[in-house]
Amino acid sequence: MKKIIYKNQKNEVIKEVDLPTDDYYAEPAEVKGAYQKKEVYKNGALVEFEVFMERDQKHSEILNNPSLKGVQISIGTRQTIGELRYEKVYCYESTKVLSTIFNTVFDKENQVIVSSFTDDIENEVPYWNGTTKYYYDSSIREGDALFECQYNDDGELIPITIDVEELGLGDHDGTWIYNDAEGVADLMRIFKMPHSLAAFYVSSVIVPPETAIEK
């Protein structure tokens, strides 16, 4: 049996989930951005621990906690960017060796708009093949992303196609979006998004500027 417990800054339980198997698990929307600690138990034993640090805390304070010996630890920070939430999480193996770093950006509906990771621990340079961006517009389609962007090893956009017929945008031409000024212009034309937001999706930059989310 697997149990996941979410706690707030007062160490109070805000959500507890029992899972009979280790199958894929989607974090409940109501706890995203609201919890400070996440504890994962298997057969009653703590095996994973995630915490979002206070500003004056150091990783060593958490990693050297005797109660977390042999436990996989994730240490994160949260930052608010306009209506967005940016989370950066450092993932340590049970041996306390840093293995990877995850970067995630959420919109105001707690939908993931950027997911990225890096194994380049020393430089913290994102692994561009591990970066995906998602674009949502509930006025066109609710819940599902309208398109996804992925990038090659050099951080250049892998060309995507927009199916305007499927999206009910029949007054637009279906088009390929490339990593250039024309691609930015096409996204602005089809989705009526500002230049800064279109440029953000075409580029591999992980954290958008505040101007990119002002519609």
Side-chain angles (χ1 to χ4, degrees):
M1 177 68 71
K2 183 176 181 179
K3 176 181 289 188
I4 302 177
I5 297 176
Y6 300 92
K7 297 180 179 180
N8 61 19
Q9 290 184 330
K10 297 180 180 179
N11 212 36
E12 300 169 333
V13 175
I14 57 176
K15 186 79 175 182
E16 187 170 323
V17 181
D18 288 318
L19 297 176
T21 67
D22 291 336
D23 292 340
Y24 173 78
Y25 167 70
E27 201 163 87
E30 66 268 24
V31 304
K32 290 180 179 178
Y35 72 92
Q36 186 192 29
K37 297 178 182 177
K38 175 182 175 181
E39 301 168 352
V40 180
Y41 294 83
K42 283 187 180 179
N43 300 321
L46 179 65
V47 294
E48 298 176 31
F49 178 75
E50 181 177 16
V51 61
F52 285 88
M53 298 192 310
E54 300 294 343
R55 289 185 178 180
D56 57 348
Q57 274 188 299
K58 296 181 180 179
H59 286 205
S60 59
E61 294 179 31
I62 300 167
L63 295 172
N64 295 332
N65 187 328
S67 65
L68 297 176
K69 184 177 181 179
V71 175
Q72 291 183 10
I73 298 175
S74 298
I75 302 174
T77 58
R78 288 194 177 109
Q79 178 184 351
T80 300
I81 305 171
E83 296 180 337
L84 304 181
R85 185 177 76 257
Y86 168 45
E87 296 184 355
K88 185 172 186 175
V89 179
Y90 296 78
C91 302
Y92 292 85
E93 300 292 346
S94 58
T95 57
K96 305 304 181 281
V97 174
L98 181 60
S99 59
T100 191
I101 303 169
F102 282 96
N103 294 277
T104 313
V105 181
F106 300 85
D107 65 13
K108 63 181 179 180
E109 304 298 332
N110 269 326
Q111 300 172 124
V112 176
I113 64 170
V114 182
S115 175
S116 182
F117 72 91
T118 179
D119 293 329
D120 184 350
I121 306 304
E122 182 177 352
N123 300 307
E124 297 192 13
V125 176
Y127 173 50
W128 300 123
N129 265 334
T131 299
T132 305
K133 295 182 183 179
Y134 307 86
Y135 177 73
Y136 300 86
D137 187 334
S138 59
S139 68
I140 299 175
R141 184 169 65 193
E142 193 167 354
D144 295 326
L146 303 188
F147 64 81
E148 298 180 10
C149 294
Q150 294 181 324
Y151 309 86
N152 62 23
D153 289 336
D154 296 322
E156 295 181 351
L157 177 71
I158 297 173
I160 61 173
T161 185
I162 305 296
D163 192 333
V164 294
E165 185 175 348
E166 178 191 0
L167 297 177
L169 301 173
D171 56 333
H172 295 285
D173 295 328
T175 183
W176 284 92
I177 305 297
Y178 293 91
N179 183 22
D180 56 16
E182 186 177 347
V184 171
D186 284 334
L187 288 180
M188 293 174 63
R189 172 178 59 85
I190 296 172
F191 297 104
K192 298 180 174 61
M193 64 173 68
H195 180 276
S196 56
L197 183 60
F200 167 69
Y201 277 100
V202 167
S203 78
S204 54
V205 173
I206 292 176
V207 183
E210 288 195 38
T211 54
I213 58 173
E214 296 173 357
K215 290 189 177 182

Coordinates of all heavy atoms in Angstrom, one line a residue, residues 56-144:
D56 N 15.6 31.3 4.0 CA 16.9 31.3 4.8 C 17.4 29.9 5.0 O 18.4 29.7 5.7 CB 16.7 32.0 6.1 CG 15.6 31.5 7.0 OD1 14.8 30.7 6.5 OD2 15.6 31.8 8.2
Q57 N 16.6 28.9 4.5 CA 17.1 27.5 4.7 C 18.1 27.1 3.7 O 18.2 27.6 2.6 CB 15.8 26.6 4.5 CG 15.1 26.3 5.8 CD 14.0 25.3 5.7 OE1 13.1 25.4 4.8 NE2 14.2 24.2 6.4
K58 N 18.9 26.1 4.1 CA 19.9 25.5 3.2 C 19.6 24.1 2.9 O 19.0 23.4 3.8 CB 21.3 25.7 3.8 CG 21.8 27.1 4.0 CD 23.2 27.1 4.6 CE 23.7 28.6 4.7 NZ 25.0 28.6 5.3
H59 N 20.0 23.5 1.8 CA 19.7 22.1 1.4 C 20.3 21.2 2.5 O 19.7 20.2 2.9 CB 20.3 21.8 0.1 CG 19.5 22.4 -1.1 ND1 19.5 21.8 -2.3 CD2 18.7 23.4 -1.1 CE1 18.7 22.5 -3.1 NE2 18.2 23.5 -2.4
S60 N 21.5 21.6 3.0 CA 22.2 20.7 4.0 C 21.4 20.5 5.2 O 21.4 19.4 5.9 CB 23.5 21.3 4.3 OG 23.4 22.6 4.9
E61 N 20.6 21.5 5.6 CA 19.8 21.4 6.8 C 18.7 20.2 6.7 O 18.4 19.5 7.6 CB 19.0 22.7 7.1 CG 19.9 23.8 7.5 CD 19.1 25.1 7.7 OE1 18.0 25.0 8.2 OE2 19.7 26.2 7.4
I62 N 18.2 20.1 5.5 CA 17.2 19.1 5.2 C 17.9 17.7 4.9 O 17.5 16.7 5.5 CB 16.4 19.5 4.0 CG1 15.7 20.8 4.3 CG2 15.4 18.4 3.7 CD1 15.0 21.5 3.1
L63 N 19.0 17.7 4.1 CA 19.6 16.5 3.8 C 20.3 15.8 5.0 O 20.3 14.5 5.0 CB 20.7 16.8 2.7 CG 20.2 17.3 1.3 CD1 21.4 17.7 0.5 CD2 19.4 16.2 0.6
N64 N 20.7 16.6 6.0 CA 21.4 16.0 7.1 C 20.4 15.6 8.3 O 20.9 15.2 9.3 CB 22.4 16.9 7.6 CG 23.6 17.1 6.6 OD1 23.9 16.2 5.8 ND2 24.2 18.3 6.6
N65 N 19.1 15.8 8.0 CA 18.1 15.4 9.0 C 18.2 13.9 9.3 O 17.9 13.1 8.3 CB 16.8 15.8 8.6 CG 15.7 15.7 9.7 OD1 15.8 14.8 10.5 ND2 14.7 16.5 9.7
P66 N 18.5 13.4 10.5 CA 18.6 12.0 10.8 C 17.3 11.2 10.4 O 17.4 10.0 10.1 CB 18.9 12.0 12.3 CG 19.5 13.3 12.6 CD 18.8 14.3 11.7
S67 N 16.2 11.8 10.6 CA 14.9 11.1 10.3 C 14.7 10.9 8.8 O 13.8 10.1 8.5 CB 13.7 11.9 10.9 OG 13.6 13.2 10.2
L68 N 15.5 11.5 8.0 CA 15.4 11.3 6.5 C 16.5 10.4 5.9 O 16.7 10.4 4.7 CB 15.4 12.7 5.8 CG 14.2 13.6 6.2 CD1 14.4 15.0 5.5 CD2 12.9 13.0 5.8
K69 N 17.2 9.7 6.8 CA 18.2 8.8 6.3 C 17.6 7.7 5.4 O 16.7 7.1 5.8 CB 19.0 8.2 7.5 CG 20.1 7.3 7.1 CD 20.9 6.8 8.3 CE 22.1 5.9 7.9 NZ 22.8 5.4 9.1
G70 N 18.2 7.5 4.2 CA 17.8 6.5 3.3 C 16.5 6.9 2.5 O 15.9 6.0 1.8
V71 N 16.1 8.1 2.6 CA 14.9 8.6 2.0 C 15.2 9.5 0.8 O 16.2 10.3 0.8 CB 14.0 9.4 3.0 CG1 12.8 10.0 2.2 CG2 13.6 8.6 4.1
Q72 N 14.5 9.3 -0.4 CA 14.7 10.2 -1.5 C 14.1 11.6 -1.1 O 13.0 11.7 -0.7 CB 14.0 9.6 -2.7 CG 14.6 8.4 -3.3 CD 13.9 7.9 -4.6 OE1 13.1 8.6 -5.1 NE2 14.3 6.7 -5.0
I73 N 14.9 12.6 -1.4 CA 14.5 13.9 -1.0 C 14.5 14.9 -2.2 O 15.4 14.9 -3.0 CB 15.5 14.5 0.1 CG1 15.5 13.6 1.3 CG2 15.1 15.9 0.5 CD1 16.5 14.0 2.4
S74 N 13.4 15.7 -2.2 CA 13.3 16.7 -3.2 C 13.1 18.1 -2.5 O 12.3 18.2 -1.6 CB 12.1 16.5 -4.1 OG 12.2 15.3 -4.8
I75 N 13.9 19.0 -2.9 CA 13.9 20.3 -2.2 C 13.6 21.4 -3.3 O 14.3 21.5 -4.3 CB 15.3 20.6 -1.6 CG1 15.6 19.5 -0.6 CG2 15.3 22.0 -0.9 CD1 17.0 19.6 0.0
G76 N 12.5 22.1 -3.0 CA 12.1 23.1 -4.1 C 11.9 24.5 -3.6 O 12.0 24.8 -2.4
T77 N 11.8 25.4 -4.5 CA 11.4 26.8 -4.3 C 10.3 27.2 -5.2 O 10.1 26.6 -6.2 CB 12.6 27.7 -4.6 OG1 13.0 27.6 -6.0 CG2 13.8 27.4 -3.7
R78 N 9.5 28.1 -4.7 CA 8.3 28.6 -5.5 C 8.5 30.1 -5.7 O 8.9 30.8 -4.8 CB 7.0 28.4 -4.8 CG 6.6 26.9 -4.7 CD 5.1 26.8 -4.3 NE 4.7 25.4 -4.4 CZ 4.4 24.7 -3.3 NH1 4.6 25.2 -2.1 NH2 4.0 23.5 -3.4
Q79 N 8.1 30.6 -6.9 CA 8.2 32.0 -7.2 C 6.9 32.4 -8.0 O 6.5 31.6 -8.9 CB 9.5 32.2 -8.1 CG 9.6 33.7 -8.5 CD 10.8 33.9 -9.4 OE1 11.6 32.9 -9.6 NE2 10.9 35.0 -10.0
T80 N 6.4 33.5 -7.7 CA 5.2 34.0 -8.4 C 5.6 35.0 -9.4 O 6.4 35.9 -9.2 CB 4.2 34.7 -7.4 OG1 3.8 33.7 -6.4 CG2 3.0 35.2 -8.1
I81 N 5.1 34.8 -10.7 CA 5.4 35.6 -11.8 C 4.1 36.1 -12.4 O 3.5 35.4 -13.2 CB 6.3 34.9 -12.9 CG1 7.5 34.3 -12.3 CG2 6.6 35.9 -14.0 CD1 8.3 33.5 -13.2
G82 N 3.6 37.2 -11.9 CA 2.3 37.7 -12.4 C 1.2 36.7 -11.9 O 1.1 36.4 -10.7
E83 N 0.5 36.0 -12.8 CA -0.5 35.0 -12.5 C 0.1 33.6 -12.5 O -0.6 32.6 -12.3 CB -1.7 35.1 -13.4 CG -2.4 36.4 -13.4 CD -3.6 36.5 -14.3 OE1 -3.6 35.7 -15.3 OE2 -4.6 37.2 -14.1
L84 N 1.4 33.5 -12.8 CA 2.0 32.2 -12.9 C 2.8 31.8 -11.7 O 3.1 32.7 -10.8 CB 3.0 32.2 -14.1 CG 2.5 32.6 -15.5 CD1 3.6 32.5 -16.5 CD2 1.3 31.7 -15.9
R85 N 3.0 30.5 -11.5 CA 3.8 30.0 -10.4 C 4.9 29.2 -11.0 O 4.7 28.2 -11.7 CB 2.9 29.1 -9.5 CG 3.7 28.7 -8.2 CD 2.8 27.9 -7.3 NE 2.5 26.5 -7.7 CZ 1.4 26.1 -8.3 NH1 0.4 27.0 -8.5 NH2 1.2 24.9 -8.7
Y86 N 6.1 29.5 -10.6 CA 7.3 28.8 -11.1 C 7.9 28.0 -9.9 O 8.2 28.5 -8.9 CB 8.4 29.8 -11.6 CG 9.7 29.2 -11.9 CD1 9.9 28.0 -12.5 CD2 10.9 29.9 -11.5 CE1 11.2 27.5 -12.8 CE2 12.1 29.4 -11.7 CZ 12.3 28.2 -12.4 OH 13.5 27.7 -12.6
E87 N 8.0 26.7 -10.1 CA 8.6 25.8 -9.1 C 9.9 25.2 -9.7 O 9.9 24.6 -10.8 CB 7.6 24.7 -8.7 CG 6.4 25.2 -8.1 CD 5.4 24.1 -7.6 OE1 5.7 22.9 -7.9 OE2 4.4 24.4 -7.0
K88 N 11.0 25.2 -8.9 CA 12.2 24.6 -9.2 C 12.6 23.6 -8.1 O 12.6 24.0 -6.9 CB 13.3 25.7 -9.3 CG 14.7 25.1 -9.8 CD 15.7 26.2 -10.1 CE 17.0 25.7 -10.7 NZ 17.9 26.8 -11.0
V89 N 12.7 22.3 -8.5 CA 12.9 21.3 -7.5 C 14.2 20.5 -7.8 O 14.4 20.0 -8.9 CB 11.7 20.3 -7.5 CG1 11.9 19.2 -6.5 CG2 10.4 21.1 -7.2
Y90 N 15.0 20.4 -6.7 CA 16.3 19.6 -6.8 C 16.0 18.2 -6.2 O 15.5 18.1 -5.1 CB 17.3 20.3 -6.0 CG 17.7 21.7 -6.5 CD1 17.0 22.8 -6.2 CD2 18.9 21.8 -7.2 CE1 17.3 24.0 -6.7 CE2 19.3 23.1 -7.7 CZ 18.5 24.2 -7.5 OH 18.9 25.4 -7.9
C91 N 16.2 17.2 -7.0 CA 15.9 15.8 -6.6 C 17.2 15.1 -6.2 O 18.1 14.9 -7.0 CB 15.2 15.1 -7.7 SG 13.7 15.9 -8.3
Y92 N 17.2 14.6 -5.0 CA 18.3 13.8 -4.4 C 18.0 12.3 -4.3 O 16.8 12.0 -3.9 CB 18.7 14.4 -3.1 CG 19.3 15.8 -3.1 CD1 18.5 16.9 -3.1 CD2 20.7 16.0 -3.1 CE1 19.0 18.2 -3.1 CE2 21.2 17.2 -3.1 CZ 20.4 18.3 -3.1 OH 20.9 19.6 -3.1
E93 N 18.9 11.5 -4.6 CA 18.7 10.0 -4.4 C 18.7 9.8 -2.9 O 19.1 10.6 -2.1 CB 19.8 9.2 -5.1 CG 19.9 9.4 -6.6 CD 18.7 8.8 -7.3 OE1 17.9 8.0 -6.7 OE2 18.5 9.1 -8.5
S94 N 18.4 8.5 -2.5 CA 18.4 8.2 -1.1 C 19.8 8.3 -0.5 O 20.0 8.4 0.7 CB 17.9 6.8 -0.9 OG 18.6 5.8 -1.6
T95 N 20.9 8.3 -1.3 CA 22.3 8.5 -0.9 C 22.6 9.9 -0.7 O 23.7 10.3 -0.4 CB 23.2 7.8 -1.9 OG1 23.0 8.4 -3.2 CG2 23.0 6.3 -2.0
K96 N 21.6 10.8 -1.0 CA 21.8 12.3 -0.9 C 22.6 12.9 -2.0 O 23.1 14.0 -1.9 CB 22.4 12.7 0.5 CG 21.6 12.2 1.7 CD 20.1 12.6 1.6 CE 19.3 12.0 2.8 NZ 18.9 10.6 2.7
V97 N 22.7 12.1 -3.1 CA 23.4 12.6 -4.3 C 22.4 13.3 -5.2 O 21.3 12.7 -5.5 CB 24.1 11.5 -5.1 CG1 24.7 12.0 -6.4 CG2 25.2 10.9 -4.3
L98 N 22.7 14.5 -5.6 CA 21.7 15.3 -6.5 C 21.7 14.6 -7.9 O 22.7 14.4 -8.5 CB 22.2 16.7 -6.6 CG 21.3 17.7 -7.5 CD1 19.9 17.7 -6.9 CD2 22.0 19.0 -7.6
S99 N 20.5 14.2 -8.3 CA 20.4 13.5 -9.6 C 19.8 14.3 -10.7 O 20.2 14.2 -11.9 CB 19.5 12.3 -9.4 OG 18.2 12.6 -8.9
T100 N 18.9 15.2 -10.5 CA 18.3 16.0 -11.5 C 17.6 17.2 -10.9 O 17.3 17.3 -9.7 CB 17.3 15.2 -12.4 OG1 16.9 15.9 -13.6 CG2 16.0 14.9 -11.6
I101 N 17.3 18.2 -11.8 CA 16.5 19.4 -11.4 C 15.3 19.6 -12.3 O 15.5 19.5 -13.5 CB 17.4 20.6 -11.5 CG1 18.7 20.4 -10.6 CG2 16.7 21.9 -11.0 CD1 19.8 21.5 -10.8
F102 N 14.2 19.7 -11.7 CA 12.9 19.9 -12.5 C 12.5 21.4 -12.4 O 12.6 22.0 -11.3 CB 11.8 19.0 -11.9 CG 11.9 17.6 -12.4 CD1 12.5 16.7 -11.5 CD2 11.4 17.2 -13.6 CE1 12.6 15.4 -11.9 CE2 11.5 15.9 -14.0 CZ 12.1 15.0 -13.2
N103 N 12.1 21.9 -13.5 CA 11.5 23.3 -13.6 C 10.1 23.1 -14.1 O 9.9 22.5 -15.2 CB 12.3 24.2 -14.5 CG 13.7 24.5 -14.0 OD1 13.9 25.3 -13.2 ND2 14.7 23.7 -14.4
T104 N 9.1 23.7 -13.4 CA 7.7 23.6 -13.8 C 7.1 25.0 -13.6 O 7.3 25.6 -12.6 CB 6.9 22.6 -13.0 OG1 7.7 21.4 -12.9 CG2 5.6 22.3 -13.6
V105 N 6.3 25.4 -14.6 CA 5.5 26.6 -14.6 C 4.1 26.3 -14.7 O 3.7 25.6 -15.6 CB 6.0 27.6 -15.7 CG1 5.2 28.9 -15.5 CG2 7.5 27.9 -15.6
F106 N 3.3 26.8 -13.8 CA 1.8 26.6 -13.7 C 1.1 27.9 -14.0 O 1.5 29.0 -13.6 CB 1.4 26.1 -12.4 CG 2.0 24.8 -11.9 CD1 3.2 24.8 -11.3 CD2 1.3 23.6 -12.1 CE1 3.8 23.6 -10.8 CE2 1.9 22.4 -11.7 CZ 3.1 22.4 -11.0
D107 N -0.1 27.8 -14.7 CA -0.9 29.0 -14.9 C -1.8 29.2 -13.7 O -1.8 28.4 -12.7 CB -1.6 29.0 -16.2 CG -2.7 27.9 -16.3 OD1 -3.0 27.3 -15.3 OD2 -3.1 27.6 -17.4
K108 N -2.7 30.2 -13.8 CA -3.6 30.5 -12.6 C -4.6 29.4 -12.4 O -5.2 29.3 -11.3 CB -4.3 31.8 -12.8 CG -5.2 31.9 -14.0 CD -5.8 33.2 -14.1 CE -6.8 33.3 -15.4 NZ -7.4 34.7 -15.5
E109 N -4.8 28.5 -13.4 CA -5.7 27.3 -13.2 C -5.0 26.1 -12.8 O -5.5 25.0 -12.8 CB -6.4 27.1 -14.5 CG -7.2 28.3 -15.1 CD -8.3 28.7 -14.2 OE1 -8.8 27.9 -13.5 OE2 -8.6 29.9 -14.3
N110 N -3.7 26.2 -12.4 CA -2.8 25.1 -12.0 C -2.5 24.2 -13.1 O -2.2 23.0 -12.9 CB -3.4 24.4 -10.8 CG -3.0 24.9 -9.5 OD1 -1.8 25.4 -9.3 ND2 -3.8 24.9 -8.5
Q111 N -2.7 24.6 -14.3 CA -2.3 23.8 -15.5 C -0.8 24.0 -15.8 O -0.3 25.1 -15.7 CB -3.1 24.2 -16.7 CG -4.6 24.0 -16.5 CD -5.4 24.6 -17.7 OE1 -6.2 23.9 -18.3 NE2 -5.2 25.9 -18.0
V112 N -0.1 22.9 -16.1 CA 1.3 23.0 -16.4 C 1.5 23.7 -17.8 O 1.0 23.1 -18.8 CB 2.0 21.6 -16.4 CG1 3.4 21.7 -16.8 CG2 1.9 21.0 -15.0
I113 N 2.2 24.8 -17.9 CA 2.5 25.4 -19.2 C 3.9 25.1 -19.6 O 4.3 25.3 -20.8 CB 2.1 26.9 -19.2 CG1 3.0 27.7 -18.3 CG2 0.7 27.1 -19.0 CD1 2.8 29.2 -18.5
V114 N 4.8 24.8 -18.6 CA 6.2 24.5 -18.9 C 6.7 23.3 -18.0 O 6.4 23.4 -16.8 CB 7.2 25.7 -18.7 CG1 8.6 25.3 -19.1 CG2 6.7 26.9 -19.5
S115 N 7.3 22.3 -18.6 CA 7.8 21.2 -17.9 C 9.2 21.0 -18.4 O 9.4 20.8 -19.6 CB 7.0 20.0 -18.0 OG 7.6 18.9 -17.4
S116 N 10.2 21.1 -17.6 CA 11.6 20.9 -18.0 C 12.5 20.3 -17.0 O 12.2 20.5 -15.8 CB 12.2 22.3 -18.4 OG 13.5 22.2 -18.9
F117 N 13.5 19.6 -17.4 CA 14.4 19.0 -16.4 C 15.8 19.1 -16.9 O 16.1 19.3 -18.1 CB 14.1 17.6 -16.1 CG 14.4 16.6 -17.2 CD1 15.6 15.9 -17.2 CD2 13.4 16.3 -18.1 CE1 15.8 15.0 -18.2 CE2 13.7 15.4 -19.1 CZ 14.9 14.7 -19.2
T118 N 16.8 18.9 -16.1 CA 18.2 18.9 -16.5 C 19.0 17.9 -15.6 O 18.7 17.7 -14.4 CB 18.9 20.3 -16.3 OG1 20.2 20.2 -16.7 CG2 18.8 20.8 -14.9
D119 N 19.9 17.3 -16.3 CA 20.9 16.4 -15.6 C 22.2 17.0 -15.5 O 23.2 16.5 -15.0 CB 21.0 15.0 -16.3 CG 19.7 14.2 -16.2 OD1 19.0 14.4 -15.2 OD2 19.4 13.5 -17.2
D120 N 22.3 18.3 -16.0 CA 23.6 19.0 -16.0 C 23.6 19.8 -14.6 O 23.2 20.9 -14.5 CB 23.7 20.0 -17.1 CG 25.0 20.8 -17.1 OD1 25.7 20.7 -16.1 OD2 25.3 21.5 -18.1
I121 N 23.9 19.0 -13.6 CA 23.8 19.5 -12.2 C 24.7 20.7 -12.0 O 24.4 21.7 -11.3 CB 24.1 18.4 -11.2 CG1 23.2 17.2 -11.5 CG2 23.9 18.9 -9.8 CD1 21.7 17.5 -11.5
E122 N 25.9 20.7 -12.5 CA 26.9 21.7 -12.2 C 26.5 23.0 -12.8 O 26.6 24.1 -12.1 CB 28.3 21.3 -12.8 CG 29.4 22.3 -12.5 CD 30.8 21.8 -13.0 OE1 30.9 20.6 -13.5 OE2 31.7 22.6 -13.0
N123 N 26.1 23.1 -14.0 CA 25.7 24.3 -14.7 C 24.2 24.7 -14.6 O 23.8 25.8 -14.9 CB 26.2 24.3 -16.1 CG 27.7 24.1 -16.3 OD1 28.5 24.8 -15.7 ND2 28.1 23.1 -17.0
E124 N 23.4 23.7 -14.3 CA 22.0 23.8 -14.2 C 21.4 24.3 -15.6 O 20.4 25.0 -15.6 CB 21.5 24.7 -13.1 CG 21.9 24.2 -11.7 CD 21.3 25.0 -10.6 OE1 20.3 25.7 -10.9 OE2 21.7 24.8 -9.4
V125 N 22.1 23.8 -16.6 CA 21.5 24.2 -18.0 C 20.5 23.2 -18.4 O 20.7 22.0 -18.3 CB 22.7 24.1 -19.0 CG1 22.1 24.3 -20.4 CG2 23.8 25.1 -18.7
P126 N 19.3 23.6 -18.7 CA 18.2 22.7 -19.0 C 18.5 21.8 -20.2 O 19.3 22.1 -21.1 CB 17.0 23.6 -19.4 CG 17.4 24.9 -18.7 CD 18.9 25.0 -18.8
Y127 N 18.0 20.6 -20.1 CA 18.1 19.6 -21.2 C 17.0 19.9 -22.1 O 15.8 19.6 -21.8 CB 18.0 18.2 -20.6 CG 18.0 17.0 -21.6 CD1 18.9 16.9 -22.6 CD2 17.0 16.0 -21.4 CE1 18.8 15.9 -23.5 CE2 16.9 15.0 -22.3 CZ 17.9 14.9 -23.3 OH 17.8 13.9 -24.2
W128 N 17.3 20.5 -23.2 CA 16.2 21.0 -24.1 C 15.3 19.9 -24.6 O 14.1 20.2 -24.8 CB 16.8 21.8 -25.3 CG 17.6 23.0 -24.8 CD1 19.0 23.2 -25.1 CD2 17.3 24.0 -24.0 NE1 19.4 24.4 -24.5 CE2 18.4 24.9 -23.8 CE3 16.1 24.4 -23.3 CZ2 18.3 26.1 -23.0 CZ3 16.0 25.5 -22.5 CH2 17.1 26.3 -22.4
N129 N 15.9 18.7 -24.8 CA 15.0 17.6 -25.3 C 14.0 17.2 -24.2 O 13.0 16.5 -24.4 CB 15.8 16.4 -25.6 CG 16.1 16.4 -27.1 OD1 15.3 16.9 -27.9 ND2 17.2 15.7 -27.5
G130 N 14.3 17.7 -23.0 CA 13.4 17.4 -21.8 C 12.5 18.5 -21.5 O 11.9 18.6 -20.4
T131 N 12.3 19.5 -22.4 CA 11.5 20.7 -22.2 C 10.2 20.6 -23.1 O 10.3 20.4 -24.3 CB 12.3 22.0 -22.5 OG1 13.4 22.0 -21.6 CG2 11.4 23.2 -22.3
T132 N 9.1 20.8 -22.5 CA 7.8 20.9 -23.2 C 7.0 22.0 -22.7 O 7.0 22.3 -21.5 CB 7.0 19.6 -23.0 OG1 7.8 18.4 -23.4 CG2 5.7 19.6 -23.9
K133 N 6.4 22.8 -23.6 CA 5.5 23.9 -23.3 C 4.1 23.6 -23.8 O 3.9 23.0 -24.9 CB 6.0 25.2 -23.9 CG 7.3 25.7 -23.3 CD 7.7 27.0 -23.9 CE 9.1 27.4 -23.4 NZ 9.5 28.7 -24.0
Y134 N 3.1 24.0 -23.1 CA 1.7 23.7 -23.4 C 0.9 25.1 -23.4 O 1.1 25.9 -22.6 CB 1.0 22.8 -22.4 CG 1.8 21.6 -22.1 CD1 2.8 21.5 -21.2 CD2 1.5 20.4 -22.8 CE1 3.5 20.4 -20.9 CE2 2.2 19.2 -22.5 CZ 3.2 19.2 -21.6 OH 3.9 18.0 -21.3
Y135 N 0.1 25.2 -24.4 CA -0.7 26.5 -24.6 C -2.2 26.1 -24.4 O -2.7 25.2 -25.0 CB -0.5 27.1 -25.9 CG -1.3 28.4 -26.1 CD1 -1.0 29.5 -25.4 CD2 -2.5 28.4 -26.9 CE1 -1.8 30.7 -25.5 CE2 -3.3 29.5 -27.0 CZ -2.9 30.7 -26.3 OH -3.7 31.8 -26.4
Y136 N -2.8 26.9 -23.5 CA -4.3 26.7 -23.2 C -5.0 28.0 -23.5 O -4.5 29.1 -23.3 CB -4.5 26.4 -21.7 CG -3.8 25.1 -21.2 CD1 -2.5 25.1 -20.8 CD2 -4.5 23.9 -21.2 CE1 -1.9 24.0 -20.4 CE2 -3.9 22.7 -20.8 CZ -2.6 22.8 -20.3 OH -2.0 21.6 -19.9
D137 N -6.2 27.8 -24.0 CA -7.2 28.9 -24.1 C -8.6 28.3 -23.9 O -9.1 27.7 -24.8 CB -7.1 29.6 -25.5 CG -7.9 30.9 -25.6 OD1 -8.9 31.0 -24.9 OD2 -7.6 31.8 -26.4
S138 N -9.2 28.6 -22.7 CA -10.5 28.0 -22.4 C -11.6 28.5 -23.3 O -12.6 27.8 -23.4 CB -10.8 28.2 -20.9 OG -10.9 29.6 -20.7
S139 N -11.4 29.6 -23.9 CA -12.5 30.1 -24.8 C -12.5 29.3 -26.1 O -13.5 29.4 -26.9 CB -12.2 31.6 -25.2 OG -11.0 31.8 -26.0
I140 N -11.4 28.6 -26.4 CA -11.4 27.7 -27.6 C -11.6 26.3 -27.3 O -12.5 25.6 -27.9 CB -10.0 27.9 -28.4 CG1 -9.8 29.3 -28.8 CG2 -10.0 26.9 -29.6 CD1 -8.5 29.6 -29.4
R141 N -11.0 25.8 -26.2 CA -11.2 24.5 -25.7 C -10.7 24.4 -24.3 O -9.7 24.9 -23.9 CB -10.3 23.4 -26.6 CG -10.6 22.0 -26.2 CD -10.0 21.0 -27.2 NE -8.5 21.1 -27.2 CZ -7.8 20.6 -28.1 NH1 -8.3 20.0 -29.2 NH2 -6.4 20.7 -28.1
E142 N -11.6 23.9 -23.5 CA -11.3 23.9 -22.0 C -10.6 22.6 -21.6 O -11.0 21.5 -22.0 CB -12.6 24.0 -21.2 CG -12.4 24.4 -19.8 CD -13.7 24.8 -19.1 OE1 -14.7 25.0 -19.8 OE2 -13.7 25.0 -17.9
G143 N -9.6 22.7 -20.7 CA -9.0 21.6 -20.1 C -7.8 21.0 -20.9 O -6.8 20.7 -20.2
D144 N -7.8 20.9 -22.2 CA -6.7 20.3 -23.0 C -5.9 21.4 -23.6 O -6.4 22.5 -24.1 CB -7.3 19.4 -24.0 CG -7.9 18.2 -23.4 OD1 -7.5 17.7 -22.4 OD2 -8.9 17.7 -24.0

